[in-house]
């Protein structure tokens, strides 16, 4: 049993180093090489592919999930993210509700729900979700960037350009 703990600690250390290095390709190779030792690496691999907008690779590894994997919040969230990126918003919202029901992180729940609502042009509701995500521990920076993006979206192109010129003029002053 102590041998297993040593392997897990070694894997955790390697993973932290790779995450810290910012080398996504090496991190992908690390997850692939250790999928059998750490099943959670399947979800981390899918998340990494989704971050890179590589939907085909994300789907490939998503299709390796077992029934028991699909009962864990981390795996459910990857399904919601995949549905979101494929523009299957209704399914993404269903998966998000399941994610929360299974004990998923509320900050991540509200953040992704805000992104989905923004894509559906439900801007006031999206902003509410982003604000709630901040209260629930999601990144202030990510929530703030999403709020800023949503506030610009409803503007007509001429209004957005005018607003941008105003920002630029104030920056020069």
């Amino acid at each position: 049993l102590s041998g297993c703990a040593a392997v897990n600690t070694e894997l955790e250390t390697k993973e932290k180093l790779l995450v810290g290095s910012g080398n996504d390709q090496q991190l992908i190779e690390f997850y692939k090489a250790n999928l059998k030792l750490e099943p959670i690496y399947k979800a981390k691999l899918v998340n990494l592919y989704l971050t890179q907008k590589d939907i085909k690779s994300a789907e490939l590894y998503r299709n390796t999930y077992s029934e028991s994997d699909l009962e864990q919040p981390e795996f459910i969230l990857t399904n919601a993210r995949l549905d979101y990126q494929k523009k299957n918003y209704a399914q993404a919202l269903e998966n998000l509700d399941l994610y929360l029901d299974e004990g998923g992180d509320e900050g991540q729940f509200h953040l992704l729900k805000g992104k989905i609502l923004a894509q559906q042009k439900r801007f006031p509701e999206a902003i509410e979700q982003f604000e709630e995500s901040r209260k629930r521990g999601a990144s202030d920076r990510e929530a703030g960037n999403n709020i800023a993006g949503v506030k610009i979206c409803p503007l007509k192109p001429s209004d957005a350009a005018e607003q941008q010129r105003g920002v630029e003029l104030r920056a020069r002053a």
Side-chain angles (χ1 to χ4, degrees), residues 32-101:
K32 285 180 181 180
N34 295 292
L35 286 174
K36 287 184 175 46
L37 296 172
E38 287 290 333
I40 192 68
Y41 286 171
K42 288 186 278 187
K44 291 182 177 191
L45 186 58
V46 170
N47 267 325
L48 196 51
Y49 280 129
L50 290 172
T51 299
Q52 295 180 337
K53 308 278 190 255
D54 183 349
I55 292 174
K56 286 187 180 191
S57 296
E59 284 182 315
L60 178 73
Y61 285 94
R62 185 310 187 188
N63 289 335
T64 68
Y65 290 0
S66 68
E67 285 298 316
S68 63
D69 290 339
L70 293 170
E71 295 171 4
Q72 297 177 51
E74 298 88 350
F75 290 87
I76 298 166
L77 183 60
T78 63
N79 280 341
R81 287 189 65 209
L82 183 58
D83 288 327
Y84 163 72
Q85 286 192 8
K86 291 173 68 177
K87 300 180 181 359
N88 297 333
Y89 302 128
Q91 185 62 48
L93 288 169
E94 279 185 40
N95 277 317
L96 265 181
D97 287 338
L98 180 60
Y99 169 71
L100 199 58
D101 290 346

Side-chain angles (χ1 to χ4, degrees), residues 104-140:
D105 178 78
E106 290 186 38
Q108 291 303 307
F109 167 84
H110 290 288
L111 195 59
L112 185 53
K113 188 168 184 178
K115 290 177 182 181
I116 294 166
L117 294 171
Q119 289 299 314
Q120 294 176 323
K121 302 197 181 333
R122 295 164 58 185
F123 301 121
E125 294 169 83
I127 290 171
E128 285 176 25
Q129 291 299 314
F130 294 135
E131 290 292 353
E132 191 61 31
S133 76
R134 293 168 90 172
K135 294 176 192 170
R136 304 294 179 159
S139 160
D140 283 340

Side-chain angles (χ1 to χ4, degrees), residues 148-167:
V150 166
K151 286 185 175 179
I152 290 173
C153 283
L155 298 176
K156 293 182 286 189
S158 60
D159 292 342
E162 189 62 38
Q163 187 175 32
Q164 183 62 35
R165 276 194 292 278
V167 168

